[in-house]
Every structure is written in C-alpha cells, then in structure tokens.
Amino acid sequence: MKDLAPPDLAASDAAADIRDLSVRLGERFEVAIERLSVAPGEVLVLDAPSGSGKSTVLGLVAGAVAPQARPARHRVAGHDLALAARPPGPAAMGFVLQTHALVPYLTMGDNIGLPARIARLRVAPDWAREVVGSLGLADLMGRFPAQLSVGQRQRAAVARAMLARPRLLLLDEPVSALDPANVHAVEELILRLAGDAGSAVLLAGHQIAGSAFAACRRVRHRVEVAGALTRSVFRAEAG
Amino acid sequence: MPLPIVLALRELRHDWISALCFVAALVGVLAPMLILLALKTGALDTMVERLVDDPANRELLAVGAGAHDEAFFRWLEARPEVGFVVPATRSINALADAVVVSFPRRSVVREVPLVVSAAGDPLLAGEVGPGRVWLSAPLAKSLGAAPGGVLTMVIGRRIDGLEQTARRRLEVAGIVPAERYGRPALFLSLPDMLAIERFRDDPAVTPDSWLQAAAPPAAFASFRLYARTLADLGPLSAALEERGVSVRPRAENAALLLQLRRGADRLYLAVAALAAAGFWAAMSANLRGMVERRRLAFSLLRMLGLAPAQRATVPLIQSLVLIGAGLGLSLALVLPSLALINASFPAVAEGAALARLRPDQLGGAAVLACVTALTAALWAMAAVLRIPSEEVLRHG
C-alpha cells in the first residue's frame, strides 16, 4: 500500500491540459473541448446552459466518456489519458458526480474510502477526519446510502472524491441537492478543502454568479451549427 | 480480503432476501435430484446388483448330452468370459438313490440330485473334494445334517434283473445357502461323480471296486458353466454355438437385468441432464439479472478505477457462494431425509440402505456445482465488462 503525501505543486505540470477532445451524442449533437488547461490549485468553472454538455465535458476530462477520436492532448495530473486504458486513480483525480452515485451495498464509510482502497492508497487519518468532520458525516459512516438523504449522499460523494487529495477535482453540480440554506456554506467548504488538499477544481454548475465560485475563472462556451450537426464547444486557455 | 470478494459478499449480505430466494430456488432443483440419485443408488442399484451378482443368472446349461474332450474344456477355461466350468456326467447319472444320515438321528432322503462341483464353484463358499461334499440348505434341513457331519450316499443299479447298491461315506464340508440354491442337492467332486457313472454304466465295476482310481473318460457328456459376468453370457453362448455346442441360460430374463440397469442409468442421466441444464440456465439468468440490477454500481466501480478482472470476479464469486450455499443447504435437508426414508422402510432393501449417496457421488455433485457456478457466471461476467463508466454520469 502506498502512502499518500501532499502533492508537490511547484514541481507538477498542469492539473489538466486538453486539446481537441470530443464526443458525439447521437447523430446531431457533439460536445467538444477545444482547449482546456487548469493550473495546479486553480478553480475553473463551467457554467454553460443546461443541456450544453457540462457533465459530458467532465466525463471526457475524467476519461469516463470515450471520445470519438484520439485527442491531440489529454493529460490529467501528469497522466496521459489519450494512451491510458484506465482512470488515473484517486490521487490524480476525484470526481463528484451530479448523480451523487454511491455503491448501495457499502456503508458510507466504505463508499468514501473505496477509491483509495481500489488504488491501494493509505489515507492520513487526520485528513480523513478533517474531510468527514467538515462535511458533517462523522455520525453517518455506518449507514447505507438508502438510509441517507440526498444531501448527505452528495456530501459523501464530495468526501469520497477529496479523501485521496486529488490533484484535479471534478465537481458536477456538487450542491444541487442541498437545501438553499446550506448551499453557500458547502461551496465554501469545498473550496477550503480543495485548497487544503492542493487540488485544482473544474466545477460544472448553475447560478455561479451568486455562489462562492463567482470570482473563479470561467470556461468559455459557444455553440456552432454546421448543417444538421450542432457542436457545443468549450474552451479555457491557461489563466 | 481481496476487494472483489468483499464487494461480492457485501452485496449478497445487503440483498440477503434476494440471495436467499436464489438459494431456495437452487435447493428446489438440487434436493429432489439428490434424493432421486440416492433412491436410484440405494434401492434400484442394490437390488439390480444383487440379481446381477446371483451366480444362477450367469449359468449356461448344456442342451442335451455331448462328447466334450479335454481340449474343449481347455478352450473354455482359457476364455475370458468364463467364470467357472467343470465337466459333468450324463444327467441320468446325476441322481443318488438315497442319502442317509445315522447320527444323531437316522434320516433318509431318497432320489437326491447330484451336482458336480470343483474349486471356484460360485455357489459354494468353499470346495468339495473326494469324500467331501456340500449340501443345499433344503437337503441339509431334511437330513438334519450340519457341516462336519457324516452321511452315506447310496447308489443303485440293476444288472440282469439283479439290484445292486454301492455306498460311499461322505463328510459334510458345508451348506449352500437357500438363496444360492433353493432345491435339495448334493454337491460333490468330479471323481465321485465319475465313480457313480462307472458303477452305473460298467457291469465290471462292483460295489467293492467302484471307488478305486480309474482313468478319466476321453469325453464328458456335459458340463457346469458360469459366465464371469452377466454381460459375458451373450458372447460365451455365441462362442459355444459357433463350436456346435448348444446352450441356454438358466435365467431366461438375465439379459433383461442388464437392460434394466442400463435403462435406469440412462433414465437418471437424462433426468439429471435436464435438471442440470435448467439449473444452469436459471443460475445464468439470475446472475445476469443481478448484474443488470447493479449496473450503476458496476459503472461507478469502473469509473473509480476497479480493474476489469476484479469487476468480472464479483459475479463469479457470488455464483460460487450461492451455488455452494444451495448445495450445502440441499445436503442439510437431503441427508436427514435419506435417514428418515431408510428408517421408515427398513425391510424394502433387505439390510442395505434404501436411499444412499456414495462419497464419490457427493464429490461429483460438488464438482458439477462448481463447474456450473463457473460457467453460469460467464454471461454475467461478460455483461459486467460491457458496462461503461459513463453510464453512472448520466443516470443517478
């Protein structure tokens, strides 16, 4: 089992560096990342309209969505995903899904520790306590997902993604299921934990203007129509 | 514990009602098959084996008298189908006029059939010799004779209107059980039989000289012949017929026994094959269904980096666990049931268990279960590998 040390930010390259990565969703719609670069520790926000393919962009970045062609460049936390057959592992990348999916037959504690266990990483107990405690999950670790509220499951998904201190954290609508009173607090908590972990963040969300991510750099989005094909194109140059 | 095993067991534990239903369905197929197998092994096979093992069913009788020389008997003895053969005299001479026991009380049985015997006689648990005979149980009962006892055999003849009798003192070496030979008979050695034939056929032989050593005849009128196994009866008959020797089996329906045994084996195999196929199909479909119910979990595990081999191992382990539990529970129900069946019908199989499973059958069932578990999981394993990681991005 490998020990998990905080990443050496100064020595690392970009948390994500992508060019020409795209996928067709049906015959007439394509989601494309023209260029996307996230610096270590940077927070980058995707706030395009609903249905424009934000979740697909995160899936493409994570390597979870198969591209239609080999990209010109697809590097995440030092891993070349254009060549890799498997995801880069939880120390490289954490992913909070919009679906806040958890493994239904594992307890919350086991779910949170699952990526580290798969990658055979040893998580520092202090950091694990910090993540779980900050997200208000300490008393829920023995519960199964079906015994949790939607908001609790979403926070568990955040904890699962952050536990291994990923160099890139992908967040897909991470507070969409929270009650409005808690949204801002959790957003700020995510930013703090990401900062503490040294993680760069690529976040897809709505209503960014009023959120804790309002000041963060945005991914530019445009729609191109060429005949029957509609392309939803995302671009974010290095800041 | 390796992660795939943890995941497989946690899912079964979490979804224990489904797992239990699954196991119950397996028990529903396995338990009746095991009981059927036990009944076939215990009742049918035991009874058929007894009939197959009965030497009387393996005996070939010579039709009519012949002239069989030493070469014929050497030829017979060399044949692999032959279990036992001894030359015999004409049947007209195979009858003692009387057998007399004087002690502890006098008893006489008249017209006692004589059966020539020798070492290896399948009806006897020992062997005869000159002056040493075996009695069938009915004859022993009539005479009140027991092993170690002494009796006198009386052989009569009529020459020129004059009746003469010869007597032979015989020692009883043993009793042939009634289930082996149910009629009165005296089993004696070939030299004694030949002496009787000489006395009856040759006027020059007197009651005083009939037991003196004499050269064996050039040919024998008949023989006692047993095939080695029931299956050897046919080929042996054919070989004899080809040589011009007409024979018939003592038990006309002996061949049916073999057909019955083969038929029972085939019938059970057919039933078992059908049940196994159904069991396999049910197992395969259930495992595939379990994967379908857990598509998002498998998609998530893929996205989190669980290797393909590890993901595919999950349904495989579940298959082994479920089938193992099904087999274990089936045995837990079947073995006491067999004990109950055997206790309820103790007389049916005459001492042997009416329903029993041999260790090799239990081992075979376990191996078959493992093979079923492994092969039935293939569909589910392939399905797991086809679940893409992006599925969990789109469906929550």
Side-chain angles (χ1 to χ4, degrees), chain A residues 191-202:
Chain A
L191 282 176
R192 180 174 71 74
L193 287 172
D196 290 348
S199 305
V201 174
L202 178 58

Side-chain angles (χ1 to χ4, degrees), chain A residues 25 55-56 59 63-66 86-87 90 95 97-99 101-107 110-111 114-115 117-118 120 144 160 172, chain B residues 1-3 6-8 10-11 13-14 294 297-298 300-308 310 314 388-390 392-396:
Chain A
L25 302 177
S55 295
T56 303
V65 174
R86 290 172 56 184
F95 200 159
L97 303 167
Q98 185 179 16
T99 57
L102 301 171
V103 179
Y105 48 84
L106 295 181
T107 62
D110 288 333
N111 264 291
L114 188 57
R117 180 160 188 187
I118 289 172
R120 295 170 176 263
F144 288 97
R160 180 180 65 197
D172 193 358
Chain B
M1 194 186 290
L3 188 55
V6 173
L7 294 171
R10 291 281 184 85
E11 182 181 357
R13 190 176 73 179
H14 186 258
R294 294 289 184 225
F298 280 112
L300 178 61
L301 289 168
R302 180 171 186 169
M303 207 200 70
L304 294 177
L306 192 64
Q310 290 183 302
V314 172
S389 55
E390 63 183 277
V392 75
L393 301 181
R394 308 190 193 287
H395 308 284

Side-chain angles (χ1 to χ4, degrees), chain B residues 88-137:
Chain B
T89 58
R90 285 182 294 143
S91 57
I92 195 169
N93 285 327
L95 198 69
D97 290 76
V99 175
V100 182
V101 170
S102 304
F103 183 82
R105 61 180 179 80
R106 180 178 168 79
S107 58
V108 179
V109 174
R110 299 186 190 283
E111 298 194 338
V112 175
L114 302 175
V115 179
V116 65
S117 181
D121 190 330
L123 300 186
L124 273 54
E127 60 184 276
V128 296
R132 282 170 52 79
V133 297
W134 282 61
L135 307 181
S136 71

Side-chain angles (χ1 to χ4, degrees), chain A residues 4-239:
Chain A
L4 189 64
D8 181 355
L9 298 180
S12 63
D13 55 6
D17 186 10
I18 296 166
R19 281 188 190 180
D20 299 327
L21 178 62
S22 63
V23 65
R24 278 280 177 91
L25 302 177
E27 291 291 312
R28 298 179 174 186
F29 188 64
E30 181 179 307
V31 176
I33 303 172
E34 197 172 65
R35 175 156 189 170
L36 191 142
S37 185
V38 190
E42 184 187 14
V43 178
L44 189 61
V45 174
L46 262 169
D47 65 346
S50 187
S52 59
K54 296 191 294 295
S55 295
T56 303
V57 166
L58 294 183
L60 280 167
V61 171
V65 174
Q68 67 192 48
R70 189 170 161 180
R73 186 180 299 167
H74 188 182
R75 293 186 66 82
V76 172
H79 297 266
D80 190 346
L81 299 193
L83 301 173
R86 290 172 56 184
M93 186 183 68
F95 200 159
V96 179
L97 303 167
Q98 185 179 16
T99 57
H100 42 80
L102 301 171
V103 179
Y105 48 84
L106 295 181
T107 62
M108 179 192 272
D110 288 333
N111 264 291
I112 291 172
L114 188 57
R117 180 160 188 187
I118 289 172
R120 295 170 176 263
L121 294 175
R122 186 179 291 123
V123 177
D126 289 346
W127 172 247
R129 272 194 295 275
E130 165 71 9
V131 171
V132 170
S134 302
L135 289 165
L137 303 172
D139 297 332
L140 308 173
M141 299 295 274
R143 292 197 191 174
F144 288 97
Q147 298 167 316
L148 301 171
S149 70
V150 175
Q152 286 168 333
R153 288 207 294 273
Q154 198 159 41
R155 280 183 278 146
V158 172
R160 180 180 65 197
M162 302 209 70
L163 198 68
R165 295 176 181 267
R167 287 181 57 193
L168 176 64
L169 182 62
L170 304 173
L171 299 167
D172 193 358
E173 312 269 9
V175 292
S176 59
L178 300 180
D179 61 278
N182 286 324
V183 166
H184 199 75
V186 172
E187 285 174 343
E188 289 195 331
L189 184 60
I190 289 172
L191 282 176
R192 180 174 71 74
L193 287 172
D196 290 348
S199 305
V201 174
L202 178 58
L203 176 137
H206 289 108
Q207 300 166 336
I208 297 297
S211 76
F213 308 110
C216 300
R217 189 164 70 96
R218 309 285 178 93
V219 177
R220 281 185 286 166
H221 173 247
R222 68 177 190 277
V223 175
E224 296 175 351
V225 178
L229 180 67
T230 300
R231 295 184 79 227
S232 185
V233 184
F234 296 84
R235 182 182 178 95
E237 308 276 5

